[in-house]
Every structure is written in C-alpha cells, then in structure tokens.
Amino acid sequence: MKFQFTLITLLMTGSLMQVFGQERTNREKLNFDTTSGTILKATGWAYDSSLGEWIDYENVISDDKDYKVKYKSLQGAYMMSHISQNFQKVQTRTVTYKGTTYYVLIIDKWSGRYEYPSIQQDWYEFKETIGYIYTKDEYQKLLNIETLVELKTRYEVSIGSKYEKYDETKFLDLIQTELSQEKSKYSSKFTFPIMKSKEGAIRFYLPDSFSTYSKYDFEKKYFETDFENFSKIILK
C-alpha cells in the first residue's frame, strides 16, 4: 500500500512539473518576403455637378474647387486628411503565414482628428499606414485588368496616430494577429475596385468598405494613372 501511494505521488509530482515547468515561448515573427515598386502619384478626378466641371487634384479625390481658388494654401496634408480617398504612397509586399503567401497592399496616407471632437476644434493631421491582406488567388486578379476588377478581403490592419509612428515590426505583428483571427470566408468587408478606360488608362479607388449607400462610381469619381505606373505595384 505504501509503495502504491509513493508511486502515485511520484506520478502526480511528475505531471505537475510538466505543467508548471513548460518554457515560455514567444510567437515566431513574420518578415516581408518581396516588395513591389511604388505608386507615388495619381490624379484624383471628381465631377462637380453644380459647376458641371471635372475637378482634379494630385493623390486625392475631391470635387471641391475651392481648394484651387479660395484655399490654395490648404492643399496637401490639411485637405487630404479630411478625405478618405487620399494617399502618399502605394505598394505591395508579401508575407508567408503558416506556409501560405499573402499579398499586402500597403497605403501610406494622411488622416486627421479633432483634438476636441465634441466641439470640433483643433484639427490635426498625422500619417497612417494601412495594409489590406489578400490571398494569392484574389490578388492575381490584377494580372488581367480588361474590365472592372474588384479585389476583396476581410483582413485589414493600420498603424499611425498623433502619438505613434510607423514601426515595421509592430505592423507585421498586427498582420499576423489579423490572419490568426477566425473570420467567415464569405466576409469581404473591403473592396479594391480597378478598371481600364477606353484609352487604356487605369482608374481605381483605394480599398474601402463600400456599401449600397456609399458605392464607388466610376462615372463620377476615381484615381487615374497610366498602366505603366499602376503596374509598379503588381507582383507576379
């Protein structure tokens, strides 16, 4: 009986040592594998129906002509931070997660907030980096832009605020955490619309959660650039 008790005690002690003796292991870090070229400029076009004119700005879509006439000095960071469809730089990078390659469309843009939102005072701008994560099959739609193409994803990460600068290690951590989330395969929250004009130029919107009430409309607004410039961000 004493032998059995001693044996059970040893077995329990061994099990507890295994439970409490496990090593603390950090999650393996991701790295970017490949990087595309960069789009630095594209013309944003928007039709002002009250004036009957197309209004153009660099790297932002706006139909407000006042920034060309009354408020020229506010073009740039201030203007762009009030409009979601703006960018400073667009490129694609790839990561490998659990043996699968993902394509991350990375957009550097201007964002802004009110210091006192309740009374809408003291607007400030900051740089934000957003990553939209696509599967290989979805991303390869970019290889054949002859009509309207829509890239869809449910994965998005962002970094940057008044107090936070871009940090690649943290950005990759956010990507890994996002990919680890259980999300419905039927969920496609963000849409990246692209089309080719009759003249061969590429028209596009930045990815967004478009809805029935805020649908993109290539008849009224879009970014436009030549195919050579757009193809810089396409990884084959």
Side-chain angles (χ1 to χ4, degrees):
M1 190 71 177
K2 183 177 181 181
F3 174 76
Q4 288 181 337
F5 177 78
T6 303
L7 180 60
I8 292 171
T9 302
L10 287 172
L11 290 172
M12 291 178 64
T13 302
S15 298
L16 288 171
M17 287 179 66
Q18 285 184 339
V19 170
F20 294 107
Q22 291 179 346
E23 292 185 5
R24 291 181 293 274
T25 304
N26 291 331
R27 184 175 69 179
E28 186 176 348
K29 296 289 186 181
L30 294 184
N31 294 293
F32 285 119
D33 301 322
T34 57
T35 302
S36 74
T38 304
I39 296 178
L40 296 174
K41 291 183 181 180
T43 303
W45 287 99
Y47 185 73
D48 185 328
S49 57
S50 63
L51 297 178
E53 295 181 17
W54 281 92
I55 311 299
D56 66 298
Y57 291 100
E58 184 177 289
N59 292 8
V60 60
I61 298 175
S62 173
D63 62 1
D64 190 345
K65 193 175 181 178
D66 284 345
Y67 286 109
K68 288 181 173 290
V69 182
K70 297 180 182 179
Y71 311 119
K72 289 184 179 180
S73 63
L74 297 181
Q75 284 191 39
Y78 179 86
M79 172 193 177
M80 296 168 78
S81 65
H82 283 79
I83 302 167
S84 63
Q85 289 289 322
N86 85 82
F87 72 90
Q88 297 172 288
K89 181 174 72 174
V90 182
Q91 67 177 174
T92 302
R93 306 185 78 175
T94 63
V95 295
T96 302
Y97 175 70
K98 292 187 175 180
T100 300
T101 298
Y102 291 90
Y103 293 74
V104 187
L105 185 75
I106 301 174
I107 298 166
D108 291 347
K109 64 184 297 182
W110 284 108
S111 293
R113 299 284 187 277
Y114 284 106
E115 187 72 44
Y116 307 102
S118 60
I119 56 175
Q120 295 191 344
Q121 283 193 355
D122 293 351
W123 181 265
Y124 63 88
E125 308 92 33
F126 58 89
K127 294 181 180 180
E128 183 178 17
T129 300
I130 304 177
Y132 298 92
I133 308 165
Y134 299 96
T135 63
K136 183 177 181 179
D137 287 345
E138 193 69 16
Y139 181 81
Q140 286 188 331
K141 291 179 181 179
L142 292 178
L143 302 181
N144 185 27
I145 307 173
E146 293 300 329
T147 56
L148 176 64
V149 171
E150 291 184 335
L151 271 65
K152 294 180 179 293
T153 184
R154 58 192 185 275
Y155 296 113
E156 179 249 17
V157 297
S158 64
I159 187 172
S161 69
K162 182 179 181 180
Y163 308 101
E164 180 184 44
K165 305 297 183 183
Y166 176 78
D167 178 272
E168 185 164 296
T169 299
K170 184 175 180 179
F171 193 63
L172 284 160
D173 287 340
L174 294 173
I175 290 172
Q176 183 166 187
T177 299
E178 182 73 358
L179 287 172
S180 70
Q181 303 299 313
E182 290 294 332
K183 298 188 179 185
S184 169
K185 65 180 180 180
Y186 302 107
S187 169
S188 298
K189 185 177 180 181
F190 304 101
T191 303
F192 180 26
I194 313 105
M195 65 171 290
K196 183 184 289 187
S197 70
K198 294 179 181 178
E199 296 75 27
I202 299 297
R203 295 173 178 173
F204 64 96
Y205 284 73
L206 300 175
D208 205 340
S209 52
F210 298 105
S211 68
T212 304
Y213 303 102
S214 61
K215 180 72 172 174
Y216 65 83
D217 185 353
F218 280 107
E219 296 296 320
K220 296 180 180 179
K221 295 180 179 181
Y222 48 80
F223 285 108
E224 185 175 77
T225 189
D226 58 65
F227 179 78
E228 182 179 0
N229 187 39
F230 187 82
S231 64
K232 291 176 182 177
I233 66 168
I234 300 176
L235 290 170
K236 299 180 179 179

